[in-house]
Amino acid sequence: MNALLKTKTALATATFAAAATLLAATQAVAQVTFYENDNFQGRSFTTKRQIGNLERWGFDDRASSAVVLSDRWEVCEDVRFRGRCVILRPGRYPSLAAMGIDDGVLSVRTVNKGARYDENRYAPPPIPVYDNRRRNGEELYEANITAVRVVVGPPTQRCWVEREQIVQNSGSNNAPAVIAGALLGGILGHQVGGGRGNDLATAGGAVAGAALGSNLGSNSGGQVVVTQNVQRCTSVPNQNHPDYWDVTYLFRGQEHRIQMSTPPGRTVTVNRLGEPRS
């Protein structure tokens, strides 16, 4: 009887130890990294456990972007998880300003796996993130990078206002002549710009054409000159920080592609399958 009891006790102890090991491994996987600038730039701080006051770690009111590798994390604007709190799903958050807590994170903790929250508690959907941490001591290799493409955001639009004079008949609208002149001017502007969509030249042509149209309609009597504001716009390349680097590398005769949030070097660290690792 004592032998059976000892066996059961040993089995229970082994089961509890295995469960504790599994729990510790699961908790170790949960990880969030904060960056002091947008787009994962500047100083960073990584944690795998809850922190009630980031001031003790020298990272209070500094977080501007974040990367969540696994699990859900609750970030709060005050210590001990008070004030406004937002739940982050796994993914990349280039800017925390969208959720109203930019530079305002003071406490952070994981969310229980079974807990359910209203959708308004969550941050906007993040950019997917790839967990490139080394697994189970796997062997690593260096793969040569063959191509890098810098990807920036869409072009931005710049607009300005110009003062434009048009001639109208007193008591009547001479708009047809003005519109026709602007159309001719727009075509002329494209020709001046080499036919490659030079918006600045087109806008200038449109202004000249409008004046031409006014002159075309100025043969009748009782005319008045009217000055009005006209908005002109053109698209210019985005000069902000790149969204990501599209990287192509070769490993064991096979081509792979990844997207990186920082400029790559000459090689990429991979496992035996060619999957990126850090």
Side-chain angles (χ1 to χ4, degrees):
M1 186 68 180
N2 290 337
L4 179 61
L5 181 60
K6 289 180 179 180
T7 301
K8 290 183 177 180
T9 302
L11 181 61
T13 302
T15 302
F16 177 79
T21 302
L22 178 61
L23 178 61
T26 302
Q27 290 176 340
V29 170
Q31 177 177 307
V32 60
T33 300
F34 296 106
Y35 298 84
E36 64 179 354
N37 298 326
D38 287 350
N39 297 308
F40 323 108
Q41 301 297 308
R43 194 161 62 96
S44 65
F45 174 78
T46 298
T47 182
K48 296 179 180 179
R49 62 183 181 87
Q50 77 172 35
I51 296 179
N53 188 356
L54 281 170
E55 184 177 3
R56 298 177 180 177
W57 300 86
F59 214 82
D60 53 307
D61 295 334
R62 291 180 180 271
S64 293
S65 54
V67 175
V68 179
L69 283 184
S70 60
D71 290 352
R72 295 171 297 171
W73 289 79
E74 183 180 37
V75 297
C76 301
E77 64 182 2
D78 206 348
V79 298
R80 300 182 184 88
F81 319 106
R82 295 179 301 192
R84 173 176 164 77
C85 296
V86 176
I87 299 175
L88 306 181
R89 300 179 177 94
R92 297 164 55 212
Y93 297 85
S95 176
L96 298 181
M99 58 194 75
I101 54 173
D102 182 37
D103 293 334
V105 177
L106 274 176
S107 53
V108 57
R109 62 183 173 182
T110 55
V111 176
N112 293 333
K113 292 184 180 296
R116 294 186 177 183
Y117 297 92
D118 293 336
E119 192 63 26
N120 59 9
R121 290 287 308 278
Y122 287 91
I127 302 170
V129 64
Y130 173 72
D131 184 1
N132 64 337
R133 291 175 296 178
R134 189 177 184 180
R135 294 161 174 77
N136 301 322
E138 59 188 350
E139 191 171 357
L140 302 181
Y141 309 86
E142 294 299 318
N144 292 324
I145 292 178
T146 58
V148 177
R149 182 170 63 96
V150 180
V151 180
V152 297
T156 58
Q157 190 178 58
R158 291 183 181 176
C159 298
W160 65 96
V161 175
E162 295 178 351
R163 299 285 290 175
E164 180 180 275
Q165 290 185 337
I166 61 174
V167 179
Q168 292 182 349
N169 289 332
S170 179
S172 64
N173 191 349
N174 196 29
V178 175
I179 293 175
L183 212 65
L184 290 173
I187 296 172
L188 175 63
H190 269 292
Q191 291 171 348
V192 171
R196 291 188 296 272
N198 190 323
D199 291 334
L200 287 175
T202 301
V207 173
L212 173 62
S214 297
N215 292 334
L216 290 176
S218 62
N219 293 327
S220 57
Q223 297 172 334
V224 294
V225 177
V226 179
T227 302
Q228 62 184 18
N229 292 331
V230 178
Q231 178 175 285
R232 311 291 184 190
C233 295
T234 184
S235 294
V236 296
N238 194 327
Q239 301 297 325
N240 294 332
H241 186 276
D243 283 358
Y244 59 88
W245 284 259
D246 189 58
V247 178
T248 302
Y249 62 93
L250 194 65
F251 182 68
R252 293 180 175 175
Q254 186 173 0
E255 191 175 79
H256 302 260
R257 287 181 60 189
I258 59 172
Q259 293 178 356
M260 305 179 67
S261 59
T262 56
R266 295 183 177 181
T267 62
V268 173
T269 303
V270 300
N271 64 6
R272 62 183 182 84
L273 300 177
E275 298 170 338
R277 291 290 184 264
S278 61

